[in-house]
Amino acid sequence: MTIKPGLLPVPSPVLEPSDLAALLLQGSAALFPTDTLPALAASPGQANQLWRLKQRPADKPLILMAASSEDLFACLGVAPRTEWLEMAAWAWPGAVTLVLPAVGVVAEALNPGGSSLGLRLPASAEAQALLQLSGPLATTSANISGCPAACTAQEAAQQFLGVPLLAPIPWPLAAGQASTVVAWRAEGGWRVLRAGALLPPGI
C-alpha cells in the first residue's frame, strides 16, 4: 500500500485507486472527487459509519454511486422500468441522482426503513476508476452536516481527519454544486426533489 505523506496539511493517507478500493472493501471509509462535490464513501455494508462521521441526521438517506448503470440498477432489488432506463441514458454519467423504488439489503443499508434508493453515475474519470475496482459505494458529500461543502481534497481532509483520500491530488476542480435529485412517483412520472447542477428536460 503506497501512502504519500506531506501532500496535505493534515495527516491523511493518499492512496492509489487499487489501494483505496482494497481499504473500502475491508470496511474503511474514503474520500474521492466527483464531477459535483467531493464524496465521503463506504461499501454499502459499512454505510452506517457515514452517518456517524458526517454527524448526519439518521433520517437522511445516502446515495449509491457506481461505475455503470447496470451496477446501479442491479442494486434496486426490483426490475427497472423503461422510463427509468431512458432517464438514466439521458442523465448518466452526470450530475443527476435518480431516486427509485427499491427493496433489499442495499436499500435498507442506505435508506433504513425507506422504500427507495438514490442512484448516481458520476461524470468523473477519477471516481469511475475507483468505483470499477470497489464496486458500488454508499456516498454523501464530504462535509460535516451543517458545514459548507468541501470543494477540494484539502477541505475534505480537514473535516474528516485520518480518512484516506484518492490519489492523485490536487483533485480536478469540481462543479461545486450538488447533483439534481429526481424521484420517480408511485403514480408515475418524475418529481424534482432538489434542483442542482443539471435539470432533465420535461420536468
Side-chain angles (χ1 to χ4, degrees):
M1 182 178 296
T2 303
I3 299 178
K4 302 177 180 178
L7 296 179
L8 291 170
V10 292
S12 296
V14 181
L15 306 178
E16 297 298 327
S18 58
D19 294 328
L20 191 57
L23 271 186
L24 282 159
L25 293 172
Q26 292 167 19
S28 173
L31 296 160
F32 65 88
T34 79
D35 49 325
T36 54
L37 294 167
L40 173 68
S43 293
Q46 302 297 323
N48 60 323
Q49 67 184 299
L50 301 185
W51 279 281
R52 175 179 53 80
L53 286 168
K54 185 165 175 163
Q55 302 170 33
R56 182 178 176 86
D59 61 347
K60 289 190 174 182
L62 305 172
I63 291 173
L64 188 73
M65 286 192 192
S68 72
S69 56
E70 291 81 9
D71 286 346
L72 289 169
F73 284 122
C75 293
L76 287 177
V78 298
R81 295 176 57 122
T82 300
E83 296 94 334
W84 307 351
L85 298 173
E86 291 173 346
M87 180 62 79
W90 178 87
W92 295 341
V96 176
T97 297
L98 302 184
V99 178
L100 303 174
V103 296
V105 293
V106 176
E108 181 59 27
L110 275 64
N111 187 14
S115 58
S116 64
L117 184 61
L119 309 176
R120 190 161 91 85
L121 198 169
S124 162
E126 293 76 15
Q128 289 194 27
L130 176 64
L131 290 162
Q132 286 171 1
L133 295 167
S134 67
L137 295 175
T139 67
T140 182
S141 58
N143 61 285
I144 301 298
S145 288
C147 294
C151 291
T152 67
Q154 287 81 358
E155 291 173 357
Q158 287 165 356
Q159 295 195 57
F160 299 100
L161 297 176
V163 174
L165 296 92
L166 181 65
I169 55 171
W171 291 338
L173 186 63
Q177 186 176 9
S179 67
T180 298
V181 179
V182 182
W184 180 258
R185 297 174 295 185
E187 65 273 20
W190 299 97
R191 177 166 61 97
V192 176
L193 300 184
R194 181 180 70 196
L198 186 65
L199 187 63
I203 298 179

